[in-house]
């Protein structure tokens, strides 16, 4: 049972207040009984409503960067750890196979929704002085709005590079026209906003406000921004803040607790989106209304048909090979890495263990049989290896852990309400390990790596095992692949660690990534969407895409 729906309820009720990124109608209705510019910004409740609406575009269950239909599936499809099934949504397949262009509707949707969030944050920051409110509370609202704006520009910088920088509300058509700033300028805006946010946001939230940003979330993304900018000293220093007082983060004992509704807002959670049985689960996708759904739709997209899912992805050969390359010490209760059992389903007897079932008694053979008609679409272009280690499906983010029939079907009796963990402490440890390695602090990197390995049930590594920076980085690469599978991280690591297009294409080819043969330098970023270029006469296409 969720601890409180109060804040999320406010979100659902106020989504309709700000349904587009650059329209004055947000606060300029003429009906005296409707919200207007003159009567909205009157007290703290108005700020709370506006802030809830600012979260909305990023955490919409289907559209946006953390939406199951666009961001979650598209960003993950870029990596080498999944195979995307052909014959589903053309925009997703274009992204997965590196054949996308400026007209790709999925990428354009992420871009647009992110600017909705920026616009709404800018409105709060521009209007907050009109609201009579205690100074300390005002500081928190400002910090929260800056966190959301900084998080939005983080998404834009990571995926598009240089984009229009807007730090004031867009209230006229003319004001919408803005040139694309440089990638470096966008990153500096991220740093500015997240730095300001971390100093004023609270360390913890009252239970009824869980899901709102904290200083830990701001620090986590600030450290990640420094890492992506390759400012390794500041990345290590910033991320280290989360390892000591006043913070109390750590790894939960059971890795799978991060992907179910059994242990939400646990000590590993840096930032997570609340999902709850609110709104109409079958209502219009992407709509912002008082009855908008708050469910988690990711299981629907990746679960096998026998579990009620639409089934659009399978684990890649490379991911499977990395999971089985290291067995656990003799006498362990599982043969392989504990995370493998929470991440994948397979016929256990194929690899020498006892078979099990999912979805209230479904055997793996039944799951595979239900998915076979889609799996065959991979052939002949994608060589799914079902012989070397057997056949595998994705379990992580599905409802298989609930062991009830039709668990992945959001039209079923029990649609998922498991919160989506945006950032976990495990990621913080692995990011700090990378920064520490770059800074020649191998002892810190090794300690962080071993925290991850110990939770996974693997033997710890010694300084002799990982004696060089290259060996440390190889282990960090390996652990990030397994720990953060399907958590919208892999493609960013591949791009950062493989600077030239030839080098990255070679890695993608070696890992049998779909589209590796079509990868070009321009695919390090998305192109500025055509709809933005058409609406914004000052914007220009990314140099890589010209």
């Amino acid at each position: 049972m969720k601890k409180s729906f109060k804040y999320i309820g406010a979100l659902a009720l106020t989504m309709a207040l700000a349904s587009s990124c650059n329209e004055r109608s947000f606060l300029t209705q003429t009906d005296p009984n409707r919200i207007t510019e003159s009567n909205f910004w009157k007290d703290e409740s108005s700020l709370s409503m506006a802030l809830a609406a600012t979260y909305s575009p990023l955490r919409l269950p289907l559209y946006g960067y953390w939406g199951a239909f666009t961001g979650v599936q598209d960003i993950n499809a870029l990596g080498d750890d999944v195979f995307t099934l052909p014959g589903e949504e053309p925009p997703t397949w274009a992204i997965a196979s590196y054949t996308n262009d400026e007209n790709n509707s999925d990428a354009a949707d992420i871009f647009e929704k992110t600017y909705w969030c920026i616009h709404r944050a800018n409105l709060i920051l521009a209007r907050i002085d009109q609201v009579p409110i205690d100074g300390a509370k005002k500081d928190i609202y400002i910090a929260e709005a800056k966190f959301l704006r900084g998080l939005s520009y983080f998404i834009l910088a990571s995926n598009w590079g240089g984009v229009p920088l807007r730090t004031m509300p867009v209230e006229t058509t003319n004001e919408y026209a803005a040139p694309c700033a440089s990638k470096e300028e966008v990153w500096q805006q991220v740093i500015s906003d997240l730095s300001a946010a971390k100093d004023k946001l609270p360390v913890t939230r009252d239970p009824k406000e869980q899901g709102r940003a904290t200083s830990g979330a701001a620090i986590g993304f600030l450290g990640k921004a420094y890492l992506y900018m390759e400012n390794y000293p500041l990345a290590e220093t910033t991320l280290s803040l989360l390892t000591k007082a006043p913070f109390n983060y750590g790894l939960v004992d059971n890795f799978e607790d991060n992907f179910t509704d059994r242990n939400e807002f646990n000590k590993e959670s840096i930032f997570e989106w609340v999902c709850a049985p609110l709104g109409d689960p079958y209502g219009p996708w992407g709509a912002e209304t008082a009855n908008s759904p708050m469910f988690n739709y990711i299981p629907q997209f990746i679960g096998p048909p026998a579990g009620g899912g639409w089934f659009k992805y399978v684990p890649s050969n490379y991911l499977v090979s990395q999971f089985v390359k290291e067995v656990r010490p003799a006498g362990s209760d599982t043969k392989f890495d504990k995370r493998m059992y929470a991440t994948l389903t397979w016929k256990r007897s194929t690899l020498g263990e006892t078979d099990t079932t999912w979805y209230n008694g479904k055997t793996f053979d039944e799951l595979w049989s239900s998915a076979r008609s889609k799996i065959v679409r991979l052939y002949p272009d994608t060589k799914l290896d079902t012989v070397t280690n057997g056949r595998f499906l994705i379990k992580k983010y599905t409802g298989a852990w609930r062991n009830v029939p039709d668990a992945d079907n959001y039209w079923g009796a029990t649609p998922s309400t498991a919160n989506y963990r945006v950032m976990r402490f495990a990621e913080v440890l692995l990011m700090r390990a990378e920064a520490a390695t770059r800074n020649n602090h191998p002892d810190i990197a090794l300690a962080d790596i071993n925290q991850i390995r110990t939770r996974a049930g693997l033997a710890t590594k010694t300084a002799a095992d990982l004696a060089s920076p290259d060996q440390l980085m190889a282990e960090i690469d390996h652990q990030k692949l397994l720990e953060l599978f399907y958590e919208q991280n892999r493609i960013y690591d591949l791009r950062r660690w493989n600077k030239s297009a030839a080098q990255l294409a070679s890695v993608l080819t070696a890992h049998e990534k779909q589209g590796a043969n079509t990868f070009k330098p321009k695919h390090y970023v998305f192109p500025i969407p055509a709809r933005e270029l058409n609406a914004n006469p000052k914007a220009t296409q990314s140099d890589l895409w010209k």
Side-chain angles (χ1 to χ4, degrees):
M1 191 71 180
K2 300 291 176 180
K3 301 167 184 65
S4 173
F5 299 147
K6 182 175 181 181
Y7 188 72
I8 297 304
L11 170 61
L13 290 171
T14 58
M15 282 179 178
L17 291 177
S19 59
S20 72
C21 75
N22 66 335
E23 64 182 7
R24 299 197 68 186
S25 58
F26 174 58
L27 295 174
T28 55
Q29 307 292 334
T30 56
D31 184 340
N33 296 314
R34 300 286 297 277
I35 294 172
T36 67
E37 174 70 27
S38 61
N39 70 18
F40 181 77
W41 305 99
K42 60 183 184 301
D43 54 29
E44 186 178 353
S45 67
S46 64
L47 284 175
S48 181
M49 292 166 65
L51 189 61
T54 306
Y55 278 88
S56 167
L58 296 183
R59 58 93 48 229
L60 284 172
L62 287 156
Y63 291 97
Y65 180 78
W66 283 286
F69 184 59
T70 50
V72 167
Q73 67 171 2
D74 288 329
I75 301 302
N76 285 309
L78 285 165
D80 58 357
D81 48 357
V82 296
F83 287 149
T84 302
L85 295 176
E88 299 293 305
E89 293 81 21
T92 301
W93 176 249
I95 288 174
S97 59
Y98 299 112
T99 56
N100 59 296
D101 60 22
E102 67 274 11
N103 294 302
N104 187 279
S105 58
D106 282 11
D109 198 71
I110 298 171
F111 187 92
E112 181 178 72
K113 295 296 193 303
T114 305
Y115 273 105
W116 287 13
C117 182
I118 290 168
H119 173 67
R120 297 172 191 185
N122 286 339
L123 276 171
I124 293 172
L125 295 170
R127 304 291 194 265
I128 194 167
D129 285 341
Q130 301 176 23
V131 181
I133 187 174
D134 171 80
K137 286 185 176 181
K138 177 180 178 180
D139 286 345
I140 293 175
Y141 278 106
I142 291 173
E144 201 162 356
K146 287 188 175 181
F147 169 81
L148 291 169
R149 186 173 68 183
L151 186 59
S152 297
Y153 278 120
F154 180 97
I155 294 169
L156 292 167
S158 300
N159 289 287
W160 282 272
V163 296
L165 261 182
R166 299 185 174 103
T167 56
M168 295 294 292
V170 175
E171 300 182 86
T172 68
T173 302
N174 288 340
E175 288 174 352
Y176 187 79
C180 290
S182 68
K183 178 177 69 174
E184 292 72 24
E185 289 171 324
V186 180
W187 278 120
Q188 286 305 317
Q189 185 64 48
V190 173
I191 299 301
S192 175
D193 280 340
L194 295 179
S195 296
K198 76 177 179 62
D199 293 330
K200 296 296 183 180
L201 285 171
V203 172
T204 60
R205 288 284 189 177
D206 185 276
K208 70 177 181 295
E209 294 183 336
Q210 285 183 316
R212 294 178 65 173
T214 62
S215 58
I219 290 168
F221 275 100
L222 179 62
K224 192 170 185 175
Y226 283 132
L227 188 71
Y228 282 17
M229 295 168 69
E230 300 184 5
N231 187 333
Y232 300 119
L234 280 178
E236 182 179 353
T237 299
T238 302
L239 293 167
S240 292
L241 296 174
L242 299 179
T243 67
K244 52 194 175 187
F247 303 103
N248 192 33
Y249 296 116
L251 301 180
V252 295
D253 293 335
N254 183 5
F255 172 76
E256 193 169 34
D257 277 358
N258 293 301
F259 314 104
T260 74
D261 64 9
R262 292 179 294 204
N263 189 11
E264 295 172 329
F265 296 111
N266 59 53
K267 66 179 180 179
E268 191 166 340
S269 178
I270 305 293
F271 189 51
E272 65 186 80
W273 296 130
V274 175
C275 298
L278 291 174
D280 177 7
Y282 323 118
W285 287 13
E288 292 184 304
T289 69
N291 201 32
S292 291
M294 301 297 295
F295 293 80
N296 183 339
Y297 295 121
I298 298 175
Q300 181 73 67
F301 285 80
I302 60 177
W310 286 331
F311 185 60
K312 298 175 184 291
Y313 299 92
V314 293
S316 71
N317 300 331
Y318 179 66
L319 178 78
V320 171
S321 72
Q322 294 303 293
F323 260 125
V324 301
K325 71 182 295 185
E326 181 178 5
V327 297
R328 294 181 62 195
S332 299
D333 56 353
T334 61
K335 182 177 180 180
F336 299 106
D337 188 318
K338 289 182 180 181
R339 296 169 296 189
M340 183 173 171
Y341 301 82
T343 303
L344 306 174
T345 58
W346 71 98
K347 191 169 185 175
R348 303 279 176 84
S349 58
T350 302
L351 296 178
E353 294 184 285
T354 302
D355 286 328
T356 187
T357 61
W358 301 269
Y359 301 102
N360 194 34
K362 297 284 187 184
T363 66
F364 181 78
D365 285 338
E366 289 176 295
L367 300 185
W368 185 267
S369 178
S370 75
R372 186 181 293 119
S373 64
K374 284 194 172 185
I375 291 171
V376 297
R377 297 180 194 166
L378 290 168
Y379 300 95
D381 296 327
T382 301
K383 304 299 190 295
L384 179 65
D385 181 0
T386 60
V387 176
T388 304
N389 297 297
R391 303 164 297 172
F392 292 82
L393 298 173
I394 297 173
K395 180 186 179 189
K396 190 176 186 179
Y397 287 120
T398 71
W401 63 273
R402 292 192 289 168
N403 205 30
V404 298
D406 218 25
D408 294 331
N409 187 350
Y410 78 80
W411 282 287
T414 54
S416 176
T417 60
N419 288 356
Y420 183 82
R421 279 64 161 187
V422 174
M423 181 179 284
R424 301 188 283 116
F425 188 63
E427 182 184 354
V428 169
L429 290 174
L430 290 168
M431 288 192 295
R432 187 175 73 156
E434 179 183 347
T437 299
R438 305 294 193 188
N439 294 331
N440 196 28
H441 298 153
D443 52 336
I444 293 175
L446 184 63
D448 288 347
I449 289 168
N450 278 330
Q451 282 196 62
I452 299 296
R453 289 182 60 84
T454 298
R455 201 256 300 270
L458 303 174
T460 57
K461 293 287 188 180
T462 67
D465 295 325
L466 304 175
S468 71
D470 285 347
Q471 289 173 311
L472 280 166
M473 282 303 304
E475 180 64 16
I476 290 166
D477 178 355
H478 179 66
Q479 292 304 325
K480 289 197 80 174
L481 173 73
L482 304 185
E483 179 74 28
L484 302 176
F485 166 72
Y486 215 76
E487 294 185 49
Q488 292 170 288
N489 276 285
R490 183 62 180 169
I491 187 58
Y492 305 123
D493 289 339
L494 290 173
R495 289 168 177 167
R496 290 187 302 109
W497 296 336
N498 300 280
K499 291 291 191 290
S500 75
Q503 182 182 11
L504 181 49
S506 176
V507 169
L508 295 175
T509 300
H511 296 173
E512 302 173 271
K513 170 73 181 82
Q514 292 161 310
N517 61 322
T518 60
F519 181 86
K520 296 180 176 61
K522 64 183 181 180
H523 293 118
Y524 275 90
V525 294
F526 287 140
I528 301 296
R531 66 176 78 162
E532 171 70 15
L533 296 175
N534 292 335
N536 179 0
K538 292 185 179 180
T540 54
Q541 186 55 270
S542 165
D543 288 343
L544 289 172
W545 282 86
K546 288 180 179 176

